[in-house]
């Protein structure tokens, strides 16, 4: 473990003037709930305070979004004009990129090099979905008899998006982009821990010409503000990224009124390393999979399955990789690992490590809070490797959501697949091998929403992203996501020359 050199505190980073109210109908408004202090996890200190919404504020935001939708100012805007405004929104994001990634680093503690690399891709999501809007075509349906039948699509209405703290803008944008492109109005609730970039994003949308009331932002706690949004009868679709239990409650709330729900929930992604993979390649790949973003991502490769022939060597090499990771100020470009989001998260992560050791796991490296001298109040955790883990241990089955990788041996291909699939989660997975046939063969047997081969964490607007089992339902990205923000209607036109006269003695043909 290497500490990065001292640098100016992230508190001193230049950022744009921060909007801190609720964004409803184009206005910044105070909230009725108690304001929320926003902490910098690298210092443990508050650096902003934002308004918070109660149920009445949420109701107002949803009603405004609904009235805007019904007005047609956005929902019935000609698609070429709507696509142009979504492109202009992407241009605005690009123009404010430095403000956005600087503010996000300050707010969630992810190293600025990682944040910049991720956020510079945001405009792609909006441009891709604007392109889908123009590329989409209605289908002609071949019916029997003298009929011309086709399908058409129309927007849902109000979409509620609940974004998490770990990738606030990227995860919000994965659904915001198709929701806007397809003509919906949106109420976005960012995490109470990272609300600032969502408010700035709404400012950029307004500057781009997206009408007031189309994108609304309500800050607040998940248990109150989030619940009010997900349970609101006018919300036609809910998108949530977060823990499995809150996701389960949201799914039930949506199902009660037959609303749509896209849920990207927990994960314990298996990374399968076969013996034909060079040890150094495996260790670098596993470190990237497990420690990027301080392991605070649902797709983290936190369950490393290694073939016995190279198991000991991979464990040692991964521990060496972990020890070289530079921990420090996330504003410093040399930093490779920033803090976790809160003191509570740090306590939870270290507690999971302790329980793992008590279960019989071997602590190879890490397992402690990391001290960063220039940031003594930060919530830092050492990158941690636990070896000799069994797949039935708690640390192998429960999401830790921190920089912790558990390493499990396997015997052969069949054993690897069996252990990989033996999990309550099924979001993502990775396969490391030099055998092309094996790569495809194993990929076809992994019961996961996503599989990477000789890589991890890769996403693209065109590729569907999501899981199954307790990792959620629905997909973000691609046509799968785009169309899920619409309803489909079937239109049937009678083209026969004679009139319909079923009861006049000319009843022929089929009813269904």
């Amino acid at each position: 473990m290497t500490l990065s050199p001292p640098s100016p505190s992230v508190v001193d980073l230049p950022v744009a003037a921060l909007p801190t109210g609720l964004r409803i109908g184009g206005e910044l408004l105070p909230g009725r709930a108690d304001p929320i202090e926003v902490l910098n996890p690298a210092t443990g200190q508050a650096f902003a305070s934002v308004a918070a919404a109660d149920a009445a504020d949420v109701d107002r935001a949803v009603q405004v979004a609904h009235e805007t939708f019904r007005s047609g100012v956005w929902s019935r805007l000609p698609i070429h004009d709507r696509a142009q405004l979504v492109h202009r929104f992407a241009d605005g994001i690009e123009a404010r990129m430095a403000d956005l990634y600087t503010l996000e680093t300050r707010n969630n503690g992810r190293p600025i090099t990682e944040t910049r690399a991720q956020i510079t891709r945001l405009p792609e999501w909006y441009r891709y979905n604007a392109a889908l809007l123009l590329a989409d075509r209605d289908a002609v349906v071949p019916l029997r008899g003298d009929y011309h039948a086709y399908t058409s699509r129309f927007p849902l209405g109000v979409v509620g998006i609940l974004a998490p703290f770990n990738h606030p803008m990227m995860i919000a944008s994965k659904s915001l982009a198709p929701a806007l492109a397809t003509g919906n109005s949106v109420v976005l609730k960012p995490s109470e821990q990272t609300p600032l970039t969502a408010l700035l994003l709404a400012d950029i949308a307004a500057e781009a010409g997206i009408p007031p009331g189309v994108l609304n932002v309500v800050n607040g706690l998940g248990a109150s503000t989030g619940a009010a949004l997900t349970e609101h009868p006018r919300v036609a679709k809910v998108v949530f990224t977060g823990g499995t239990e809150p996701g389960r409650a949201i799914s039930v709330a949506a199902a009660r009124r037959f609303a749509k729900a896209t849920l990207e929930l927990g994960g314990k992604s298996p990374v399968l390393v076969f013996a034909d993979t060079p040890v150094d390649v495996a260790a670098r790949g596993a470190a990237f999979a497990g420690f990027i973003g301080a392991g605070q991502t649902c797709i983290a490769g936190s369950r490393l399955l290694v073939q016995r022939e190279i198991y000991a060597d991979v464990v040692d090499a991964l521990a060496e990789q972990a020890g070289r990771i530079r921990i420090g100020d996330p504003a410093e470009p040399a930093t490779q690992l920033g803090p976790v989001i809160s003191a509570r998260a740090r306590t939870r992560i270290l507690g999971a490590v302790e329980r793992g050791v008590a279960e019989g796991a071997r602590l190879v490296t890490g397992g402690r809070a990391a001290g960063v001298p220039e940031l003594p109040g930060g919530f830092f955790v050492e990158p941690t490797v636990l070896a000799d883990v069994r797949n039935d241990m708690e640390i192998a089955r429960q999401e830790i959501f921190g920089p912790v990788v558990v390493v499990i041996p396997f015997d052969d291909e069949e054993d690897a697949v069996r252990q990989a699939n033996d999990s309550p989660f099924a979001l993502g997975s990775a396969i490391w091998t030099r055998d092309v046939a094996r790569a495809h063969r194993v990929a076809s047997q992994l019961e996961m929403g996503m599989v990477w081969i000789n890589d991890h964490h890769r996403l693209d607007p065109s590729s569907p992203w999501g899981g199954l089992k307790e990792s959620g339902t629905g997909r973000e990205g691609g046509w799968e996501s785009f169309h899920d923000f619409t309803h489909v209607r079937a239109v049937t036109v009678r083209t026969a020359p004679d009139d319909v006269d079923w009861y006049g003695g000319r009843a022929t043909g089929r009813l269904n």
Side-chain angles (χ1 to χ4, degrees):
M1 176 183 62
T2 306
L3 301 181
S4 62
S7 65
S9 167
V10 288
V11 172
D12 300 325
L13 280 173
V15 295
L18 305 178
T20 58
L22 311 179
R23 169 69 74 170
I24 300 175
E27 298 181 88
L28 274 176
L29 303 173
R32 293 179 174 87
D34 293 336
I36 296 173
E37 281 197 333
V38 181
L39 299 185
N40 176 348
T43 65
Q45 300 299 311
F47 71 98
S49 176
V50 298
D54 68 2
D57 293 319
V58 172
D59 180 65
R60 178 177 180 179
V62 174
Q63 295 294 351
V64 166
H66 174 71
E67 291 164 10
T68 303
F69 177 79
R70 299 300 297 174
S71 76
V73 65
W74 184 252
S75 58
R76 292 194 296 274
L77 190 68
I79 63 170
H80 290 83
D81 296 337
R82 196 190 309 144
Q84 185 177 35
L85 287 174
V86 174
H87 275 294
R88 194 179 297 169
F89 185 22
D91 293 341
I93 292 171
E94 208 160 54
R96 299 291 295 276
M97 191 62 67
D99 287 337
L100 288 167
Y101 67 66
T102 301
L103 182 56
E104 187 144 301
T105 285
R106 185 176 180 184
N107 199 175
N108 77 349
R110 190 171 185 184
I112 198 161
T113 303
E114 289 182 19
T115 305
R116 183 191 295 117
Q118 183 183 76
I119 291 179
T120 51
R121 298 200 61 197
L122 282 187
E124 293 179 41
W125 290 84
Y126 295 93
R127 291 173 180 144
Y128 172 79
N129 281 280
L132 289 189
L133 177 61
L134 299 180
D136 204 10
R137 292 182 177 181
D138 296 330
V140 174
V141 182
L143 293 192
R144 291 176 181 271
D146 295 327
Y147 296 97
H148 172 66
Y150 60 92
T151 60
S152 64
R153 291 184 175 272
F154 57 100
L156 303 175
V158 179
V159 173
I161 299 176
L162 290 83
F165 73 81
N166 53 342
H167 312 298
M169 277 189 293
M170 174 56 78
I171 291 179
S173 292
K174 286 197 294 183
S175 293
L176 179 59
L180 293 178
T182 50
N184 297 281
S185 294
V186 174
V187 178
L188 169 62
K189 194 208 87 69
S191 165
E192 57 266 32
Q193 295 168 308
T194 55
L196 297 172
T197 48
L199 291 165
L200 186 51
L201 206 60
D203 278 0
I204 296 170
E207 292 164 3
I210 292 177
V214 173
L215 174 55
N216 309 275
V217 180
V218 290
N219 316 311
L221 304 179
S224 52
T225 309
L229 180 59
T230 60
E231 294 170 2
H232 198 288
R234 288 207 186 278
V235 173
K237 176 172 179 172
V238 179
V239 181
F240 172 74
T241 300
T244 295
E245 290 312 311
R248 201 186 310 279
I250 289 168
S251 180
V252 169
R256 286 196 185 104
R257 62 181 186 279
F258 303 105
K260 291 188 175 187
T262 294
L263 309 170
E264 200 246 76
L265 307 177
K268 195 72 178 179
S269 297
V271 177
L272 284 60
V273 177
F274 288 92
D276 60 350
T277 307
V279 168
D280 61 330
V281 171
R284 289 195 298 268
F288 172 68
F291 300 134
I292 198 82
Q296 296 176 117
T297 173
C298 297
I299 203 67
S302 54
R303 191 163 51 110
L304 181 61
L305 306 176
V306 184
Q307 200 157 14
R308 287 191 190 276
E309 291 92 315
I310 59 170
Y311 176 81
D313 291 339
V314 169
V315 168
D316 291 344
L318 178 58
E320 185 180 349
Q321 283 280 329
R324 290 204 298 263
I325 292 174
R326 293 188 295 274
I327 305 173
D329 187 340
E332 168 58 51
T335 293
Q336 296 174 319
L337 188 76
V340 297
I341 192 64
S342 66
R344 180 180 179 183
R346 180 176 60 189
T347 299
R348 173 181 49 74
I349 293 162
L350 296 179
V353 172
E354 289 178 6
R355 291 193 301 276
V357 172
E359 272 190 291
R362 173 168 58 94
L363 179 62
V364 182
T365 189
R368 298 174 300 179
V372 178
E374 70 275 19
L375 296 169
F379 311 128
F380 297 91
V381 175
E382 294 178 344
T384 300
V385 177
L386 291 165
D388 305 341
V389 174
R390 298 187 316 274
N391 204 46
D392 61 352
M393 288 181 175
E394 176 193 333
I395 52 169
R397 303 196 70 76
Q398 297 301 315
E399 187 174 40
I400 296 174
F401 221 67
V404 180
V405 174
V406 303
V407 194
I408 303 168
F410 69 84
D411 295 317
D412 53 23
E413 196 172 300
E414 181 181 359
D415 186 31
V417 170
R418 180 187 61 78
Q419 292 197 68
N421 287 336
D422 181 16
S423 172
F425 300 109
L427 184 58
S429 56
I431 301 164
W432 289 83
T433 181
R434 289 296 191 260
D435 185 330
V436 174
R438 170 189 283 149
H440 289 286
R441 186 170 60 245
V442 172
S444 71
Q445 298 176 73
L446 292 179
E447 298 164 358
M448 310 285 168
M450 295 167 286
V451 180
W452 291 281
I453 296 172
N454 296 329
D455 210 336
H456 206 95
H457 283 289
R458 304 303 176 181
L459 79 162
D460 189 87
S462 63
S463 181
W465 177 286
L468 48 148
K469 296 198 281 189
E470 294 200 359
S471 289
T473 184
R475 293 295 181 268
E476 299 167 302
W479 284 109
E480 292 83 354
S481 172
F482 183 84
H483 280 154
D484 204 48
F485 287 92
T486 66
H487 292 300
V488 62
R489 66 162 68 87
V491 181
T492 303
V493 182
R494 179 181 171 87
T495 60
D498 57 323
D499 296 328
V500 174
D501 188 15
W502 184 268
Y503 296 107
R506 291 187 289 157
T508 60
R510 299 154 54 100
L511 284 177
N512 49 46

